[in-house]
Amino acid sequence: MIARVLPLTQTRAIKGLFDYILPQELADQAEVGSLLRVPFAGRAVQAVVAELTPTSELPDERLASVAAVLPARLPADLVKLAQWIGDEYCSTAARALNVMLPPGATRGLTEKLVLTATLTEAGNAALADGVSVRLTAGQEAALAALADAGSVPASQLGTATLRRLEGRGLVNLEHAVSSRRPDRHAVSSISASAPRLTAEQKAALVPIMSAFANPANALMMGTEAVPAPERAASTFLLHGVTGSGKTEVYLQAAAAALEAGLGVIILVPEIGLTPQALARFEARFGDVVAVLHSGMSEGKRHDEWLRLARGEARVCVGPRSAIFAPMDEIGLIVVDEEHESSYKHEGDPRYDARTVAERRAADHGAVLLYGSATPRPESVHSSARLRLEQRVDGGALPSVEVLDMRGLHNPLHPQTWLALADCRRDGGKAIVLLNRRGWSNFLSCGSCGRVWMCPNCEVTLVLHRSGAHVACHHCGHREPVPGKCPDCGSVSVARHGAGTERLEHELVTALATPEFPVFRLDADASGLDARARILERFHAASAGVLVGTQMIAKGHDFADVGLGVVVDADQTMRFPDFRAEERTFALVTQLAGRTGRGGHGRVLVQTMEPQARPIQLAAQHDSDGFLNGELQRRRALAYPPFATLIRVVCSSQDDEGAHAATTALRQLIEPPGGRVLGPAPLFMLRGKHRSQLVVKTAERTAAIAAVRSAVDAIAGTKPHREVSISVDVDPQ
Ligand code: ADP
Ligand code: ZN
Ligand code: ZN
């Protein structure tokens, strides 16, 4: 038998399948997806079986043999998916496999988690008759302990001792399955039973249910779907304001999939900060729910992975990587808050979990259900849209007021101060959103104008007063707060702009009382636990203000927040990016959606551009208007979803290297149905000079192939050896 394998090497140049002889004695252990150890370029590497075939095109004498079949195995459909991801994101299948393999598998963490010792019959006999078998005191004690306890983790008795006893056939050593499970997210206020659906929820579920029940009528949309023989793929977008009951629709759809014997994947943007969603699935479906996220220990993740692989769990809830849950017969994939940029993976491969979800749904003939209050134009364009326009509690959306900040110097508008004072008087709660950490954005010298910059990146250093340092938010470089200018010696160092730290300080000074506390949540609160605690305290308080970055508008459900403030709504518009308007619209709309449940909410949007389209339309809660305009604009300018963008960034220690590489690439890439923009210099990052190309094309697959072959042609070649090249298909 021949195993065609994908070696798990990081090297870009190593691509494709390699044939190995699978010796007879290993043949029945290996399947497609099995992890192997094989000799490769003079060393032992791990590899995943992509195919098993009777014969190779190469003569036997040129083939090496598989050294070992390791215990971990990936489902076969994921091996195919990894190959597709490798191509689609100009990466390699091996790198895609690395993000899919069972947690810890490549380091030997397998389902046999704990090495456990038991007594063999010979061991029992030896213990009974301590004379004819010579045992040391330690060995005898170990055998006695095993006789008492039945089975014991080896580490408790001394693995070396046990190994020796194993060698003599007296002890059996085996890795036994551990039963670690993540803590359940029991939340007392969440009921296990389904509520009576609203009319809108019912209407939204009709086409979803019929896609399960009657594949012939299912809508074929968007993807180059290869439908499974018995069911057709279909993609829906559940577009509903926050609080309109989208999660209940997911739950009902999931129940239907489970009923039909099919598995369910639920993707959420950031599970650590949104435990409610998970708790609702656990409350409804109990033990068949598995959770996969990076905040869990590797052991727990591994166990959850196996519960899914064995079919004990049939619903997987998790962030983007949960799209690789090992499940067969997936019936439903839900992508909640589908507009969130966290669905894009920033490591290699730069996959987008939403696109991978399309692919996986198509492979399984599953229903794909996106949900959002502010969907992407891309999904509006490619999915059947289902609307939920009313909040379940019947409350109106809050009124949104746009405040013109031109000519003002205080970070908060006078109206905002008044609204916050009212909030305190009424014992209410407010959220204040400013997407900028720290105290001031930058420092400059009052006499010579010197601006404090990061030595590694072309960005300004941000003052963090509590830590008494200035820091780079890109590379983490830190230095003490300067007392004087190193260039001219002046002691007048000016601080410009306001971040969350300063805003918190101003709010504390002006408003805070024991009854009206001020909390701050941003990435300075390190770790999910610290963040969850801050949210918990704000939740528990009867009144107060929560100041924070975007994090506070993501998925949190504070039923009692009456006032929402966006401090610098233009911040997201200042990026030179075709998605800038979409981000701004989403930010304001999401905050509005989380304000004033029950119908008495008020949202204030501070901006230097009060007439800007996304701000005006968000203030009017006009998401259709925004999406229509946005789709027109994108069509006119040939942006996604009407074209595909591919970004190539070259970086190098020296300035010329990066530029020379992008110039060489530009000459090689001839994208069909498109054009190449650049090379354009990017600001220096982490000490590296950078240069980029952007390919804009109507022929996605062919253009990706063109970029891939150009990158393969120059990567690692002599003139560009020191350059690292990163390709981003569908950059965010
Ligand atoms: P979304 O996901 O759109 O923000 P949720 O599904 O979280 O909305 O629903 C908002 C609130 O309304 C939740 O507390 C949920 O339990 C409740 N809810 C949802 N559907 C119903 C219903 N049909 N009847 C009563 N309450 C419901
Ligand atoms: Zn100076
Ligand atoms: Zn830096």
Side-chain angles (χ1 to χ4, degrees):
M1 195 58 121
I2 301 295
R4 324 196 95 162
V5 309
L6 295 157
L8 297 180
T9 73
Q10 286 302 303
T11 320
R12 186 168 186 101
I14 296 168
K15 281 196 178 163
L17 299 171
F18 294 80
D19 287 4
Y20 286 86
I21 295 169
L22 186 63
Q24 198 56 49
E25 66 274 18
L26 296 180
D28 58 350
Q29 297 170 33
E31 293 172 67
V32 170
S34 292
L35 191 62
L36 307 177
R37 195 163 51 241
V38 297
F40 189 85
R43 52 192 191 99
V45 305
Q46 294 181 342
V48 171
V49 179
E51 289 168 36
L52 290 167
T53 67
T55 54
S56 171
E57 282 160 23
L58 293 172
D60 269 13
E61 59 273 19
R62 292 194 43 204
L63 295 178
S65 290
V66 171
V69 179
L70 304 173
R73 191 174 78 80
L74 213 56
D77 72 314
L78 288 180
V79 179
K80 280 259 169 309
L81 190 66
Q83 290 173 290
W84 178 82
I85 288 176
D87 287 344
E88 185 75 3
Y89 293 98
C90 287
S91 178
T92 66
R95 293 180 193 187
L97 286 168
N98 269 328
V99 296
M100 291 182 184
L101 280 163
T106 53
R107 292 191 300 99
L109 182 60
T110 70
E111 81 174 296
K112 296 161 185 170
L113 272 169
V114 182
L115 190 65
T116 306
T118 48
L119 219 49
T120 61
E121 258 174 50
N124 241 327
L127 198 61
D129 140 42
V131 192
S132 59
V133 192
R134 268 181 299 151
L135 293 171
T136 65
Q139 289 172 336
E140 193 168 338
L143 292 181
L146 288 177
D148 282 349
S151 74
V152 176
S155 56
Q156 283 181 22
L157 299 177
T159 309
T161 307
L162 292 170
R163 283 287 180 209
R164 252 171 262 125
L165 292 169
E166 185 194 25
R168 296 170 61 185
L170 304 180
V171 159
N172 197 6
L173 278 177
E174 244 178 20
H175 296 269
V177 178
S178 90
S179 53
R180 284 168 298 181
R181 290 283 314 277
D183 301 333
R184 294 283 295 275
H185 297 76
V187 174
S188 52
S189 59
I190 292 176
S191 122
S193 55
R196 184 204 289 268
L197 295 178
T198 65
E200 285 190 331
Q201 286 171 324
K202 277 190 200 144
L205 277 162
V206 169
I208 299 173
M209 295 303 188
S210 74
F212 283 130
N214 190 2
N217 293 340
L219 291 141
M220 285 284 302
M221 309 283 314
T223 62
E224 310 160 78
V226 188
E230 60 289 14
R231 273 171 288 121
S234 36
T235 305
F236 299 98
L237 167 64
L238 186 60
H239 179 184
V241 296
T242 309
S244 60
K246 293 187 292 296
T247 311
E248 188 56 42
V249 173
Y250 307 153
L251 286 161
Q252 299 276 341
L258 289 173
E259 187 75 9
L262 303 169
V264 178
I265 295 177
I266 312 284
L267 300 185
V268 294
E270 257 183 280
I271 206 158
L273 289 175
T274 52
Q276 299 102 328
L278 177 57
R280 285 169 72 181
F281 277 89
E282 288 182 333
R284 188 72 56 89
F285 301 121
D287 266 356
V288 300
V289 178
V291 195
L292 286 177
H293 70 90
S294 59
M296 292 158 57
S297 74
E298 194 172 60
K300 282 183 183 170
R301 266 188 295 144
H302 179 267
D303 290 3
E304 288 293 84
W305 196 93
L306 274 176
R307 289 208 309 128
L308 288 160
R310 293 198 204 99
E312 293 163 20
R314 297 293 286 152
V315 179
C316 179
V317 184
R320 60 172 180 259
S321 58
I323 194 58
F324 305 125
M327 294 177 111
D328 50 15
E329 298 204 60
I330 298 167
L332 172 70
I333 301 177
V334 171
V335 185
D336 188 23
E337 308 285 353
E338 66 93 29
H339 61 281
E340 282 283 344
S341 58
S342 63
Y343 285 118
K344 178 86 182 186
H345 183 59
E346 293 303 337
D348 189 346
R350 294 177 168 272
Y351 71 86
D352 189 319
R354 296 163 292 201
T355 310
V356 177
E358 262 171 45
R359 179 71 197 189
R360 210 163 179 214
D363 286 346
H364 284 253
V367 170
L368 176 58
L369 178 55
Y370 293 124
S372 175
T374 52
R376 294 174 300 159
E378 286 91 330
S379 10
V380 170
H381 185 67
S382 67
S383 332
R385 188 146 50 133
L386 312 167
R387 298 297 303 264
L388 299 179
E389 309 205 35
Q390 308 291 326
R391 285 180 167 182
V392 172
D393 65 9
L397 288 165
S399 70
V400 178
E401 296 153 55
V402 178
L403 302 177
D404 187 348
M405 293 301 285
R406 283 173 294 187
L408 296 182
H409 294 292
N410 191 289
L412 296 181
H413 193 281
Q415 295 270 16
T416 307
W417 281 116
L418 287 175
L420 286 165
D422 286 351
C423 181
R424 181 174 70 170
R425 188 198 59 215
D426 300 342
K429 282 189 185 176
I431 295 186
V432 178
L433 192 157
L434 171 59
N435 214 7
R436 205 157 47 218
R437 285 187 293 134
W439 185 273
S440 322
N441 321 347
F442 71 99
L443 304 178
S444 72
C445 170
S447 32
C448 76
R450 174 189 210 273
V451 172
W452 270 259
M453 303 285 290
C454 175
N456 311 316
C457 314
E458 282 164 342
V459 298
T460 58
L461 293 171
V462 175
L463 173 66
H464 287 256
R465 216 175 67 155
S466 62
H469 60 259
V470 289
C472 171
H473 286 182
H474 288 277
C475 73
H477 169 85
R478 282 181 175 199
E479 37 189 274
V481 178
K484 61 176 187 189
C485 174
D487 294 347
C488 74
S490 162
V491 291
S492 96
V493 178
R495 303 168 168 189
H496 306 269
T500 46
E501 193 187 7
R502 177 167 162 215
L503 203 55
E504 176 196 24
H505 175 81
E506 303 223 347
L507 290 169
V508 166
T509 312
L511 290 171
T513 62
E515 294 74 43
F516 195 72
V518 175
F519 305 96
R520 170 161 64 96
L521 180 71
D522 55 33
D524 286 351
S526 54
L528 286 175
D529 279 356
R531 294 175 204 173
R533 267 199 304 280
I534 294 168
L535 288 172
E536 196 46 51
R537 281 166 54 213
F538 179 63
H539 186 70
S542 61
V545 187
L546 176 64
V547 185
T549 52
Q550 194 148 271
M551 231 178 242
I552 62 176
K554 283 188 184 174
H556 310 306
D557 222 342
F558 304 117
D560 48 359
V561 172
L563 173 66
V565 180
V566 184
V567 174
D568 182 1
D570 316 319
Q571 203 254 356
T572 43
M573 284 196 290
R574 282 194 284 266
F575 288 104
D577 176 356
F578 77 95
R579 277 188 241 275
E581 305 220 318
E582 181 188 336
R583 287 211 183 93
T584 307
F585 181 84
L587 188 71
V588 174
T589 304
Q590 293 287 339
L591 186 70
R594 295 182 203 298
T595 306
R597 301 276 175 97
H600 306 290
R602 184 173 177 205
V603 172
L604 305 176
V605 180
Q606 300 190 169
T607 172
M608 305 287 261
E609 286 184 68
Q611 294 311 319
R613 199 176 67 99
I615 289 177
Q616 281 297 324
L617 291 169
Q620 292 151 23
H621 304 294
D622 186 1
S623 63
D624 282 332
F626 177 74
L627 285 164
N628 290 340
E630 193 59 16
L631 279 167
Q632 271 172 25
R633 187 177 75 96
R634 301 239 188 134
R635 192 190 293 274
L637 300 175
Y639 274 122
F642 305 101
T644 294
L645 299 186
I646 307 169
R647 181 170 179 248
V648 185
V649 176
C650 296
S651 54
S652 63
Q653 290 296 343
D654 58 284
D655 195 11
E656 296 82 61
H659 184 75
T662 40
T663 307
L665 283 172
R666 163 150 210 165
Q667 268 148 21
L668 289 174
I669 300 173
E670 279 173 31
R675 58 207 188 97
V676 189
L677 313 171
L682 293 177
F683 72 87
M684 203 175 152
L685 192 64
R686 296 185 186 88
K688 296 281 180 68
H689 294 270
R690 302 183 304 151
S691 173
Q692 82 165 357
L693 295 178
V694 174
V695 178
K696 209 173 178 187
T697 175
E699 288 175 42
R700 179 183 178 91
T701 310
I704 292 171
V707 171
R708 189 168 53 233
S709 72
V711 170
D712 286 348
I714 80 150
T717 59
K718 203 152 193 191
H720 307 295
R721 184 148 294 156
E722 306 301 325
V723 178
S724 61
I725 305 173
S726 116
V727 181
D728 194 352
V729 177
D730 305 329
Q732 281 294 307

